[in-house]
Amino acid sequence: MVKWFSLGFWELIARIVLRNKILMLSIIVGITALLAMQWKHIHFTYTEANLLPDDNIVNIEYNAFLNKFGEEGNLVIIGVKDSTIFTPKAYAAWSKMMNSLKNNKEVDLVVSLNDLKKLQKNDSLQKFELVPFVDQSKTVDPAYLAKIKKQLFNDLPFYEGLLFNKRSGSIRSAVYLDKKIVNTPARKDFIIKKLIPAIKTFEDETKIDLRVSGMPYIRTLNAQTIMNEIGIFIGASLLVTSLLFFFFFRSFRATMISIIIVIIGVMWSFGFLGLLHYEITVLTALVPSLIIVIGIPNCIFLTNKYHQEYKIHRNKAKALQRVTTKVGMATLMTNLTTAIGFATFVASNNQLLLEFGVVTSINIMGLFVLCIIVIPIFHSYIPPPKDRHIEHLDRNYVKVFMEWILRNVKYNRFSIYVVAVSLLIISIIGIYKMRISGSLIEDMPKKAPFFQDIVFFEKEFDGVMPLEIMIDTKRKRGVMKLATLKRMEELEETIDEIPELSKPISIVNLVKYSKQAYYNGNPEYYELPTSQEQAFILSYAKNAAKGNKDNLMKSYVDSTGQYARITTFMRDDSGDKMPKIESEIMKKANKLFPPDRYHVTITGKALVFQKGTGYLLDNLLSSLVFAFFLTSMLVAFMFRSFKMVLVSLIPNLLPLLLTAGIMGFLDIPLKPSTILVFGIAFGLSVDDTIRFLAQYREELKKNNWKIRKSVYATFSDAGLSMFYTSIVLFFGFSVFMLSSFGGTIALGGLVSITLFFGMLSNLMLLPALVLTLNKTLANEQEFIEPKIDIIEHSDEEIDNLEKKL
């Protein structure tokens, strides 16, 4: 197996590529055409990302809740904090807007001031009726509207916290979408083509600023922003990396071929997304840009090697042959380690990360194939590089920087170790300051209007993240028993005392309202009926609920009457307090609801997301360990030395710890977006390590196992490429900081910082460690080298092979 990847194998690859140029290019064109045909299968996801596996207990309970009560994320809320809404002109515009929304087939129910219903007792039918709260014929009278406002805020406590805030005077309407369209393209069409135009028309007519939120609205605008940013990322990353390439090599032709290679890589990435029928998510949307950022360093490495070889002997054919022969193994290993870094996400048992890991890994290896084939072929067709193209090899400022690093490696290794240990200690202190975030909206675009609307509703109505408590009474119609309702009321009182949660809503609210209606709307009777009142009041309530489409509370008891739900909303900044909140609620629930008669579960999007973040953290840390293990196996395959494995891991572990420390000091929390940083950064940073060690391995054989001479030769040969590729990766990932999403900004910034530290660590700490351990490693190399059975060729033999071309 090792012979396949020996010098002779790469000679064979170079020979095949350079002797069959037309065939190779035809194959690439054919593959590109086939993958382009798969673009028709690409579409954006219309479902929410679930960070937990399907068999996780939290997911099982959440799905059980959805089966009983349907999709919970179907509510769009429209709010306003402006007293002029109770003037005839503004009220008329509000009524017009709400009626137009209500008439859409995508809308299931609208609860709004203009169409508000109040319960009224009908003694003849022995039931409560929902009658209009507002007499539309009188709304042209300002005095009547003022009266309506007073009645709403003082006489209808049922709607407090649901439709109005008594303290601030803000009001809102609830638009319930058809649950069947929430995860379909119809949701997007309704929001973009009907809801937003209706909102704009109202604002233009009245000059009143409306606030809009709710999961369907947020998800739609979020998705639209992601789609818009795909083009920005592709364009910006292509521009930045190609400009850097041209700055390094000063060759328009070489720059163009690099651009062509990464564009083909982007086309392949979209093709593989379609071929695998993966949807475009917040993560897979980054893949095309990642391909550009990772592909250009490949082109730099191979082009730089070509220039180095050509400068030595001024023979283009020999230089092209030796590009593949000498660095084919190193390039394969570096791309393999990068692919491994992304492939470890497959082990996370999360569909979102699995798809991201699979498609990115496949495309990285596809990039390797593109580069190793196209670059030699392209340069074989154009004139050899001129002096201005290879003068970068001796550029003064780069040369001075590299000489400074080499000087420190030679004479100041102790200082390097002192700095490394000091940074390690500082990093550990920062790590202890890190926190985990369970926020649903923290990564959303903070400058976007819809984010400001979220903040408005958080302030006015105490949160937008739904938290659900489902109560199983274990018997049909058990919910409407007075004893159950009293237990629920007491649990709601506990929930109401938790400052991070909003006023809860449940069937208890309707029953209280029923008693108020029975006593002719007197708000003093907004309470549960007594045991003497329950028979006739609850019978009125049950009769009112039968077959009534406008029954607001129909979603809070299932059709059998066995299951009830209590809905509350949590402030987004309280995600890290979720375990404490969950514990407090369950403690009270277990006391109120005996387990032999009731079963209480806490679920909802807020809980699922917070649990998902914790689960993701655990699994991605495991994936990172797995990446360390696979990298160790690669190094062990190359050197058969445990100490060399340690030498390869230490320079890459330190940058990760430094980044984690910076996150702690800057209060950047661990969340799904920032957790990804470590796996991605390790997969890219370890490239330089593998590149250095692969080159070092070849230099050892050339220099008769003399470590010091081999290290210096490796540094001179590979150091410049490592510097160039790291700079490109640094600026390439910085492009993601152009995003409006906090998570993408954090991902780009933190990966860039990690790669910068990784470059310094691999250029200074790695060779220093090799030199410090030189005797032991040399002895091990002398001992194990014959076992590897590498085919070695002299320069004369390589020249003879090249002449045959």
Side-chain angles (χ1 to χ4, degrees):
M1 178 67 180
V2 178
K3 288 182 179 180
W4 284 24
F5 298 100
S6 66
L7 196 59
F9 171 77
W10 294 107
E11 286 175 358
L12 177 63
I13 294 297
R15 185 183 307 167
I16 292 173
V17 168
L18 291 172
R19 283 186 173 182
N20 301 277
K21 292 180 278 192
I22 301 299
L23 176 61
M24 292 290 109
L25 293 177
S26 299
I27 291 173
I28 289 173
V29 170
I31 294 173
T32 305
L34 289 173
L35 289 174
M37 294 170 63
Q38 303 301 315
W39 294 354
K40 61 186 177 184
H41 300 301
I42 298 174
H43 63 275
F44 197 88
T45 182
Y46 293 102
T47 58
E48 284 185 276
N50 193 337
L51 303 179
L52 293 168
D54 292 338
D55 57 355
N56 187 280
I57 184 62
V58 175
N59 246 352
I60 292 172
E61 290 178 347
Y62 183 61
N63 288 328
F65 167 81
L66 295 181
N67 289 335
K68 294 290 185 301
F69 297 102
E71 171 62 46
E72 63 167 338
N74 67 325
L75 172 64
V76 176
I77 48 179
I78 304 171
V80 60
K81 188 178 180 181
D82 193 322
S83 59
T84 59
I85 193 70
F86 288 97
T87 59
K89 179 181 177 182
Y91 179 84
W94 180 270
S95 298
K96 178 182 176 183
M97 177 180 67
M98 289 302 162
N99 289 330
S100 69
L101 293 175
K102 186 178 180 179
N103 293 331
N104 285 293
K105 62 181 181 180
E106 296 90 350
V107 176
D108 186 42
L109 175 68
V110 173
V111 182
S112 178
L113 172 65
N114 65 294
D115 198 27
L116 195 61
K117 300 293 193 297
K118 66 177 181 179
L119 279 179
Q120 183 172 288
K121 181 174 62 172
N122 186 324
D123 288 324
S124 61
L125 298 177
Q126 291 192 332
K127 72 173 186 177
F128 296 117
E129 293 178 328
L130 286 169
V131 298
F133 174 63
V134 179
D135 185 346
Q136 301 298 330
S137 63
K138 299 179 180 180
T139 55
V140 293
D141 182 5
Y144 176 74
L145 291 176
K147 177 185 174 182
I148 287 297
K149 178 182 178 181
K150 183 178 179 181
Q151 287 182 352
L152 175 68
F153 281 69
N154 296 322
D155 298 342
L156 294 176
F158 172 71
Y159 289 110
E160 184 176 358
L162 182 65
L163 291 185
F164 67 87
N165 181 334
K166 189 174 182 179
R167 298 187 310 275
S168 67
S170 59
I171 67 168
R172 64 178 179 179
S173 293
V175 179
Y176 292 87
L177 301 187
D178 184 348
K179 294 176 180 179
K180 296 177 183 178
I181 73 159
V182 171
N183 293 319
T184 69
R187 180 204 78 218
K188 173 191 170 185
D189 292 339
F190 171 76
I191 298 294
I192 301 296
K193 298 178 180 179
K194 296 179 180 178
L195 177 67
I196 292 178
I199 297 293
K200 190 175 185 306
T201 300
F202 173 87
E203 291 179 334
D204 290 342
E205 288 181 5
T206 64
K207 308 305 179 186
I208 295 175
D209 183 30
L210 294 185
R211 305 286 188 166
V212 188
S213 194
M215 293 310 295
Y217 182 78
I218 294 171
R219 287 169 57 192
T220 300
L221 297 193
N222 226 15
Q224 190 176 41
T225 306
I226 292 172
M227 291 296 290
N228 292 339
E229 288 190 351
I230 291 178
I232 295 173
F233 289 153
I234 291 176
S237 56
L238 192 60
L239 177 65
V240 169
T241 54
S242 58
L243 284 177
L244 284 170
F245 187 98
F246 183 79
F247 176 76
F248 291 147
F249 296 106
R250 307 295 167 88
S251 170
F252 179 76
R253 290 174 178 172
T255 303
M256 284 306 299
I257 191 57
S258 299
I259 292 174
I260 291 170
I261 288 173
V262 294
I263 287 176
I264 294 173
V266 169
M267 295 171 69
W268 285 17
S269 69
F270 282 118
F272 280 116
L273 280 171
L275 181 66
L276 298 171
H277 293 278
Y278 288 167
E279 296 176 323
I280 295 179
T281 64
V282 67
L283 285 181
T284 53
L286 301 178
V287 172
S289 302
L290 285 173
I291 295 306
I292 294 172
V293 173
I294 295 170
I296 291 292
N298 269 350
C299 298
I300 287 176
F301 185 53
L302 294 172
T303 304
N304 190 64
K305 185 62 182 175
Y306 168 56
H307 287 178
Q308 286 177 334
E309 289 294 327
Y310 181 78
K311 184 182 177 183
I312 294 171
H313 43 67
R314 299 285 172 168
N315 185 321
K316 186 177 79 168
K318 182 187 290 188
L320 290 174
Q321 174 78 10
R322 291 189 176 184
V323 166
T324 305
T325 302
K326 289 192 172 183
V327 299
M329 181 65 172
T331 308
L332 173 63
M333 285 296 185
T334 55
N335 281 271
L336 195 57
T337 52
T338 303
I340 287 172
F342 286 95
T344 52
F345 294 141
V346 174
S348 66
N349 199 20
N350 174 270
Q351 188 64 27
L352 188 71
L353 287 172
L354 184 146
E355 293 179 2
F356 176 63
V358 167
V359 75
T360 309
S361 300
I362 290 173
N363 280 286
I364 287 170
M365 297 314 297
L367 265 178
F368 164 74
V369 173
L370 275 174
C371 292
I372 210 75
I373 292 176
V374 175
I375 288 179
I377 291 177
F378 169 77
H379 284 287
S380 71
Y381 281 118
I382 65 173
K386 298 178 181 179
D387 289 340
R388 73 172 186 272
H389 297 148
I390 59 176
E391 68 180 10
H392 67 92
L393 298 172
D394 300 311
R395 200 167 287 153
N396 189 53
Y397 66 89
V398 176
K399 191 174 181 180
V400 169
F401 177 68
M402 300 305 288
E403 287 176 352
W404 174 79
I405 290 178
L406 187 58
R407 192 162 55 249
N408 280 288
V409 170
K410 285 181 177 180
Y411 307 116
N412 297 307
R413 289 199 293 277
F414 180 75
S415 299
I416 292 174
Y417 297 145
V418 169
V419 172
V421 172
S422 300
L423 290 174
L424 177 62
I425 293 171
I426 294 172
S427 300
I428 292 172
I429 295 172
I431 289 170
Y432 277 100
K433 297 178 179 290
M434 292 180 73
R435 62 181 177 88
I436 299 175
S437 169
S439 169
L440 260 173
I441 67 171
E442 187 172 19
D443 285 343
M444 291 182 182
K446 290 183 170 54
K447 294 182 180 179
F450 76 85
F451 185 86
Q452 301 305 318
D453 291 351
I454 293 172
V455 174
F456 170 83
F457 285 108
E458 285 230 323
K459 179 182 177 182
E460 296 294 323
F461 296 94
D462 297 324
V464 293
M465 295 174 61
L467 185 67
E468 306 281 356
I469 296 95
M470 186 169 71
I471 301 167
D472 177 8
T473 63
K474 298 185 178 180
R475 59 187 184 277
K476 292 185 177 180
R477 295 182 294 278
V479 171
M480 297 303 291
K481 301 291 183 182
L482 186 58
T484 301
L485 293 172
K486 287 183 176 180
R487 286 185 168 94
M488 291 176 64
E489 182 185 33
E490 192 170 346
L491 181 59
E492 287 184 19
E493 289 172 356
T494 299
I495 294 171
D496 205 21
E497 291 172 359
I498 299 175
E500 294 82 11
L501 301 179
S502 69
K503 180 182 176 181
I505 307 168
S506 73
I507 187 63
V508 172
N509 299 67
L510 178 60
V511 175
K512 287 181 178 181
Y513 190 26
S514 299
K515 181 174 178 178
Q516 178 187 352
Y518 188 82
Y519 287 100
N520 301 315
N522 189 337
E524 293 181 2
Y525 288 94
Y526 184 72
E527 60 186 12
L528 286 176
T530 63
S531 55
Q532 291 80 17
E533 297 168 329
Q534 66 169 321
F536 51 89
I537 290 180
L538 292 183
S539 67
Y540 271 57
K542 291 175 183 176
N543 290 336
K546 290 179 180 177
N548 194 339
K549 182 181 184 299
D550 291 331
N551 178 17
L552 176 63
M553 304 303 289
K554 65 180 180 179
S555 295
Y556 289 89
V557 180
D558 80 317
S559 58
T560 66
Q562 179 177 333
Y563 294 89
R565 75 192 268 199
I566 299 173
T567 299
T568 182
F569 293 89
M570 188 175 75
R571 289 182 176 276
D572 185 69
D573 57 7
S574 303
D576 56 342
K577 299 176 184 176
M578 179 63 81
K580 180 183 176 182
I581 294 171
E582 182 184 9
S583 174
E584 192 171 343
I585 294 175
M586 284 307 300
K587 181 180 178 181
K588 186 68 174 180
N590 291 332
K591 182 179 179 182
L592 290 172
F593 298 94
D596 58 323
R597 294 165 56 193
Y598 300 93
H599 179 66
V600 180
T601 55
I602 301 177
T603 185
K605 292 188 187 299
L607 180 73
V608 171
F609 187 83
Q610 197 275 337
K611 295 286 187 182
T613 300
Y615 175 85
L616 195 61
L617 174 60
D618 293 339
N619 278 269
L620 286 178
L621 288 176
S622 301
S623 298
L624 189 59
V625 172
F626 185 50
F628 280 143
F629 172 75
L630 292 178
T631 302
S632 301
M633 292 300 99
L634 280 175
V635 176
F637 171 79
M638 293 169 63
F639 291 94
R640 309 293 175 89
S641 166
F642 176 72
K643 289 184 178 179
M644 281 301 290
V645 171
L646 289 179
V647 166
S648 68
L649 291 181
I650 291 172
N652 292 289
L653 183 59
L654 181 60
L656 299 182
L657 295 175
L658 280 170
T659 300
I662 289 172
M663 289 174 63
F665 285 120
L666 297 181
D667 195 33
I668 300 173
L670 275 176
K671 50 188 176 180
S673 54
T674 54
I675 293 171
L676 294 174
V677 168
F678 299 98
I680 294 173
F682 176 76
L684 294 169
S685 178
V686 79
D687 280 3
D688 283 343
T689 305
I690 297 298
R691 186 170 290 144
F692 186 93
L693 293 179
Q695 185 67 34
Y696 165 67
R697 184 171 172 272
E698 298 301 321
E699 296 295 338
L700 277 174
K701 292 180 288 183
K702 288 182 183 178
N703 295 295
N704 197 27
W705 310 105
K706 294 177 180 177
I707 295 277
R708 188 177 298 273
K709 185 176 181 181
S710 299
V711 168
Y712 298 158
T714 301
F715 188 89
S716 299
D717 196 56
L720 188 62
S721 291
M722 290 165 64
F723 173 74
Y724 282 172
T725 55
S726 296
I727 292 298
V728 170
L729 287 171
F730 175 83
F731 284 103
F733 273 94
S734 297
V735 162
F736 292 120
M737 297 179 71
L738 296 173
S739 174
S740 54
F741 289 90
T744 309
I745 293 170
L747 178 70
L750 292 173
V751 169
S752 295
I753 290 171
T754 310
L755 292 175
F756 177 75
F757 288 140
M759 176 190 73
L760 295 177
S761 184
N762 280 304
L763 286 175
M764 299 181 76
L765 185 58
L766 176 61
L769 286 170
V770 174
L771 287 171
T772 299
L773 299 172
N774 58 16
K775 275 192 177 180
T776 307
L777 295 176
N779 291 336
E780 288 188 25
Q781 287 299 331
E782 289 171 349
F783 178 73
I784 60 91
E785 181 60 23
K787 296 182 180 179
I788 298 181
D789 193 24
I790 297 295
I791 299 175
E792 181 63 80
H793 296 265
S794 65
D795 283 350
E796 289 76 20
E797 289 176 310
I798 293 176
D799 288 341
N800 290 333
L801 287 168
E802 288 166 350
K803 289 176 182 177
K804 295 178 181 179
L805 295 174

